[in-house]
Amino acid sequence: MENFMFSINVTLPIFLVMALGWGLKQYGMLTDSFVTVANKFNFNVTLPFLLFQDISSVDIRAVFDLKYVLFCALASSVCFWLIWGGAKLFLKGSGMTGAFVQASFRSSAAVMGLAFIQNLYGRSAMGPLMIVGAVPLYNIYSVIVLTFEGQLDKGMDRSGKIREACCNIGKNPIILSIFLGLAASLCGIHLPAVADKAVDSVARMATPLALVTLGAGFEGRKALAKIKPTLASSFIKLVLQPALLIPLAAGLGFTGEKMIGILIMLASPTTPSCYIMAKNMKNDGALTASIVVMTTLLASFTLTAWIFLLKTVGWI
């Protein structure tokens, strides 16, 4: 019972904030326009500020764990390539492959991950290290699969689309903020007090605004669209990935904050930014929205179960 209550105390506050967003949307206080603008604002402003602050405020040289960062990077890469290979076999010619792959491997690690780690440990160095290892690859791999599996624009051949994808990778605000934070940490750069307070004010908006927006954007009807690939993707995202890789992480000696970071990397819901990227790159936006909704709903149960299990076996 103690371990169950521990798990509930970690997950419930986060999903209550999401429920607040859903309730405000039903009440009419929040609109679809708000959700669209807030998601873009989070992706382009508040989340980059949060990532920059979290990474730049950590002494990377002192806490850097190469084995941990490499595990996060390799685990993300293995999941991506295996899911893409499987999707090519089972979704051949369906037009859903790019959306399915992106939504199946890409977690809401930066938003949900930091929220969970903060609930458990307060400010932590392991969250930023997990983000350094996984989040840049999330964005790069997403651009790659959406480029190759999406419908090519008229008048643009595949090589032109690849050049466009490279430009998108180079302009991605998440990737840029991570590397800027790394550079500031490694070079010992500290912002003036006024600038630091301004960055902190913007960064503090990221997690609660993202959770409220997730709740406000929840639409039950979309979860019924393309239900079979939605359920398959949700199973891969929330159950199969952690079931395969968490025992390996434990075997490598990762526990505590590191294990929670790995759990969130593998088993948190699909990030809403998947939908924006899928739509913009002419992939299946309806399927992506359905998977985001379903994984967000189911994660309240699966993450609680995973945290309960990890606490019971003594890995966190």
Side-chain angles (χ1 to χ4, degrees), residues 16 36 56 69 81 106 109 119 122 129 140 143 255 298:
L16 284 177
T36 300
S56 64
V69 173
W81 291 109
R106 186 177 179 182
N119 274 2
L129 282 185
I140 292 170
V143 171
T255 59
L298 295 179

Side-chain angles (χ1 to χ4, degrees), residues 32-45 47 98-99 102-103 106 139 142-143 146 161 164 168 172-174 210 213-214 217 222 270-290 292:
D32 290 332
S33 297
F34 167 83
V35 173
T36 300
V37 172
N39 276 329
K40 290 182 179 179
F41 180 61
N42 268 326
F43 183 75
N44 290 291
V45 181
L47 189 53
Q102 183 196 204
R106 186 177 179 182
N139 287 271
S142 294
V143 171
L146 294 176
K161 195 68 173 178
E164 181 186 7
N168 288 334
N172 187 291
I174 303 299
T213 305
L214 274 169
K222 288 188 177 180
T270 301
T271 179
S273 60
C274 283
Y275 176 74
I276 298 172
M277 289 188 65
K279 289 286 287 183
N280 288 342
M281 299 185 70
K282 301 189 182 301
N283 282 254
D284 194 330
L287 175 62
T288 306
S290 181
V292 170

Side-chain angles (χ1 to χ4, degrees), residues 36-261:
T36 300
V37 172
N39 276 329
K40 290 182 179 179
F41 180 61
N42 268 326
F43 183 75
N44 290 291
V45 181
T46 63
L47 189 53
F49 272 64
L50 176 63
L51 294 174
F52 173 82
Q53 181 190 54
D54 280 338
I55 294 172
S56 64
S57 63
V58 172
D59 186 349
I60 295 293
R61 296 180 187 273
V63 303
F64 188 77
D65 185 333
L66 180 61
K67 183 171 77 170
Y68 182 65
V69 173
L70 285 177
F71 179 86
C72 292
L74 289 173
S76 300
S77 299
V78 168
C79 289
F80 169 75
W81 291 109
L82 287 179
I83 292 169
W84 195 0
K88 293 291 285 184
L89 290 175
F90 294 103
L91 296 176
K92 184 180 296 185
S94 67
M96 297 186 291
T97 301
F100 181 90
V101 173
Q102 183 196 204
S104 297
F105 93 96
R106 186 177 179 182
S107 295
S108 185
V111 175
M112 295 291 287
L114 292 178
F116 271 89
I117 292 172
Q118 287 168 6
N119 274 2
L120 281 167
Y121 302 107
R123 186 173 289 275
S124 165
M126 293 304 108
L129 282 185
M130 179 270 288
I131 288 169
V132 168
V135 174
L137 291 177
Y138 282 165
N139 287 271
I140 292 170
Y141 287 153
S142 294
V143 171
I144 290 173
V145 73
L146 294 176
T147 296
F148 281 93
E149 298 294 346
Q151 300 175 14
L152 296 179
D153 290 337
K154 293 181 179 180
M156 181 180 291
D157 59 14
R158 189 166 294 272
S159 62
K161 195 68 173 178
I162 292 173
R163 287 195 297 271
E164 181 186 7
C166 291
C167 292
N168 288 334
I169 291 172
K171 295 185 295 184
N172 187 291
I174 303 299
I175 296 175
L176 292 175
S177 65
I178 290 172
F179 286 117
L180 286 174
L182 274 174
S185 176
L186 293 173
C187 297
I189 298 173
H190 300 284
L191 297 176
V194 173
D196 187 60
K197 288 183 179 180
V199 170
D200 183 66
S201 295
V202 177
R204 285 177 181 272
M205 289 190 284
T207 299
L209 181 59
L211 295 176
V212 168
T213 305
L214 274 169
F218 183 88
E219 297 180 54
R221 290 181 180 178
K222 288 188 177 180
L224 298 176
K226 304 182 179 180
I227 191 65
K228 289 184 179 179
T230 295
L231 290 175
S233 176
S234 299
F235 176 76
I236 292 170
K237 184 77 213 61
L238 303 177
V239 179
L240 186 58
Q241 288 185 159
L244 294 176
L245 292 173
I246 283 177
L248 178 59
L252 292 172
F254 298 128
T255 59
E257 297 176 49
K258 293 180 180 178
M259 182 60 80
I260 284 292

